[in-house]
Tab-separated table of all heavy atoms in Angstrom:
chain	number	residue	atom	x	y	z
K	395	TYR	N	91.195	86.252	95.401
K	395	TYR	CA	92.084	86.726	94.339
K	395	TYR	C	92.311	85.623	93.304
K	395	TYR	O	92.699	85.889	92.177
K	395	TYR	CB	93.449	87.132	94.917
K	395	TYR	CG	93.413	88.306	95.878
K	395	TYR	CD1	94.558	88.730	96.524
K	395	TYR	CD2	92.227	88.992	96.136
K	395	TYR	CE1	94.543	89.808	97.401
K	395	TYR	CE2	92.190	90.065	97.019
K	395	TYR	CZ	93.359	90.465	97.659
K	395	TYR	OH	93.328	91.516	98.521
K	396	LEU	N	92.120	84.383	93.732
K	396	LEU	CA	92.346	83.227	92.866
K	396	LEU	C	90.992	82.611	92.537
K	396	LEU	O	90.172	82.407	93.431
K	396	LEU	CB	93.200	82.235	93.657
K	396	LEU	CG	94.188	81.338	92.947
K	396	LEU	CD1	95.091	82.118	92.008
K	396	LEU	CD2	95.035	80.596	93.978
K	397	GLU	N	90.778	82.352	91.247
K	397	GLU	CA	89.505	81.759	90.818
K	397	GLU	C	89.827	80.643	89.820
K	397	GLU	O	90.926	80.610	89.250
K	397	GLU	CB	88.634	82.803	90.107
K	397	GLU	CG	88.143	83.973	90.963
K	397	GLU	CD	86.856	83.673	91.741
K	397	GLU	OE1	86.334	82.534	91.659
K	397	GLU	OE2	86.388	84.577	92.449
K	398	PRO	N	88.857	79.766	89.560
K	398	PRO	CA	89.085	78.758	88.503
K	398	PRO	C	89.307	79.465	87.164
K	398	PRO	O	88.593	80.409	86.839
K	398	PRO	CB	87.763	77.977	88.471
K	398	PRO	CG	87.069	78.308	89.743
K	398	PRO	CD	87.564	79.642	90.195
K	399	THR	N	90.286	79.000	86.411
K	399	THR	CA	90.591	79.625	85.122
K	399	THR	C	89.353	79.675	84.224
K	399	THR	O	89.110	80.651	83.517
K	399	THR	CB	91.726	78.829	84.430
K	399	THR	OG1	92.857	78.883	85.303
K	399	THR	CG2	92.080	79.397	83.079
K	400	SER	N	88.533	78.610	84.285
K	400	SER	CA	87.378	78.536	83.379
K	400	SER	C	86.395	79.691	83.603
K	400	SER	O	85.683	80.087	82.685
K	400	SER	CB	86.660	77.196	83.557
K	400	SER	OG	86.330	77.046	84.917
K	401	LEU	N	86.388	80.263	84.824
K	401	LEU	CA	85.481	81.394	85.081
K	401	LEU	C	85.807	82.546	84.130
K	401	LEU	O	84.917	83.117	83.491
K	401	LEU	CB	85.615	81.867	86.538
K	401	LEU	CG	84.930	83.204	86.844
K	401	LEU	CD1	83.414	83.094	86.701
K	401	LEU	CD2	85.287	83.700	88.242
K	402	PHE	N	87.090	82.888	84.022
K	402	PHE	CA	87.464	84.042	83.199
K	402	PHE	C	87.316	83.724	81.715
K	402	PHE	O	86.928	84.582	80.935
K	402	PHE	CB	88.886	84.493	83.542
K	402	PHE	CG	89.026	84.865	84.995
K	402	PHE	CD1	89.826	84.130	85.854
K	402	PHE	CD2	88.311	85.933	85.511
K	402	PHE	CE1	89.938	84.464	87.194
K	402	PHE	CE2	88.402	86.272	86.861
K	402	PHE	CZ	89.215	85.530	87.704
K	403	VAL	N	87.612	82.481	81.348
K	403	VAL	CA	87.469	82.108	79.938
K	403	VAL	C	85.995	82.261	79.542
K	403	VAL	O	85.672	82.850	78.506
K	403	VAL	CB	87.970	80.670	79.696
K	403	VAL	CG1	87.733	80.254	78.246
K	403	VAL	CG2	89.450	80.565	80.065
K	404	ARG	N	85.103	81.791	80.391
K	404	ARG	CA	83.671	81.870	80.070
K	404	ARG	C	83.156	83.292	80.139
K	404	ARG	O	82.409	83.747	79.283
K	404	ARG	CB	82.868	81.015	81.055
K	404	ARG	CG	82.610	79.626	80.504
K	404	ARG	CD	82.162	78.701	81.574
K	404	ARG	NE	80.777	78.928	81.965
K	404	ARG	CZ	80.160	78.185	82.896
K	404	ARG	NH1	80.807	77.213	83.491
K	404	ARG	NH2	78.912	78.421	83.203
K	405	ALA	N	83.521	84.026	81.201
K	405	ALA	CA	82.911	85.337	81.420
K	405	ALA	C	83.524	86.410	80.522
K	405	ALA	O	82.815	87.251	79.979
K	405	ALA	CB	83.050	85.743	82.885
K	406	ILE	N	84.835	86.386	80.369
K	406	ILE	CA	85.495	87.488	79.646
K	406	ILE	C	85.578	87.198	78.150
K	406	ILE	O	85.500	88.105	77.332
K	406	ILE	CB	86.909	87.748	80.237
K	406	ILE	CG1	86.789	88.145	81.709
K	406	ILE	CG2	87.635	88.833	79.461
K	406	ILE	CD1	88.117	88.336	82.424
K	407	GLY	N	85.714	85.919	77.788
K	407	GLY	CA	85.714	85.551	76.368
K	407	GLY	C	87.092	85.134	75.885
K	407	GLY	O	88.083	85.796	76.158
K	408	GLU	N	87.104	84.028	75.127
K	408	GLU	CA	88.355	83.404	74.699
K	408	GLU	C	89.182	84.274	73.752
K	408	GLU	O	90.392	84.233	73.762
K	408	GLU	CB	88.024	82.090	73.974
K	408	GLU	CG	88.869	80.964	74.409
K	408	GLU	CD	88.130	79.622	74.274
K	408	GLU	OE1	86.886	79.618	74.098
K	408	GLU	OE2	88.812	78.612	74.337
K	409	GLY	N	88.491	85.083	72.957
K	409	GLY	CA	89.218	85.862	71.941
K	409	GLY	C	89.738	87.201	72.456
K	409	GLY	O	90.208	88.026	71.678
Side-chain angles (χ1 to χ4, degrees):
Y395 296 177
L396 212 50
E397 295 275 2
T399 300
S400 55
L401 168 66
F402 301 114
V403 176
R404 265 165 75 179
I406 299 176
E408 226 151 346

